[in-house]
Amino acid sequence: MKRFLLFLPLLAGCAAEPVIRTVEVEIPVAVDCPAPPAIARPALPLADITADSSPADVLRAYAATVEALMGYSQEL
């Protein structure tokens, strides 16, 4: 009988109604990345160099090509 009296408070604790809680959990959702803007590649002055071009023309074409590619990289 004494054993039953010891377990009686434990059984009374189980008889209570369970507490229902609503918990909001934020879940990351994958979304598509927007398409990058279309930036046209510039025409490079170095493409106009021929075998009989003077060294000064080649140097100017290289300088203009570097400037064009630097501007293109900034746009990207």
Side-chain angles (χ1 to χ4, degrees):
M1 182 71 172
K2 287 183 182 183
R3 286 185 183 174
F4 179 70
L5 291 176
L6 290 175
F7 290 115
L8 187 61
L10 295 176
L11 293 176
C14 295
E17 290 187 31
V19 177
I20 299 175
R21 290 185 291 150
T22 303
V23 178
E24 184 176 330
V25 179
E26 295 182 15
I27 299 174
V29 178
V31 294
D32 293 334
C33 294
I39 299 174
R41 185 178 173 128
L44 300 178
L46 200 57
D48 298 334
I49 297 296
T50 59
D52 58 343
S53 296
S54 70
D57 290 340
V58 173
L59 184 61
R60 275 181 273 187
Y62 271 110
T65 299
V66 168
E67 291 293 324
L69 289 177
M70 288 179 73
Y72 178 61
S73 68
Q74 288 177 354
E75 286 181 26
L76 289 177

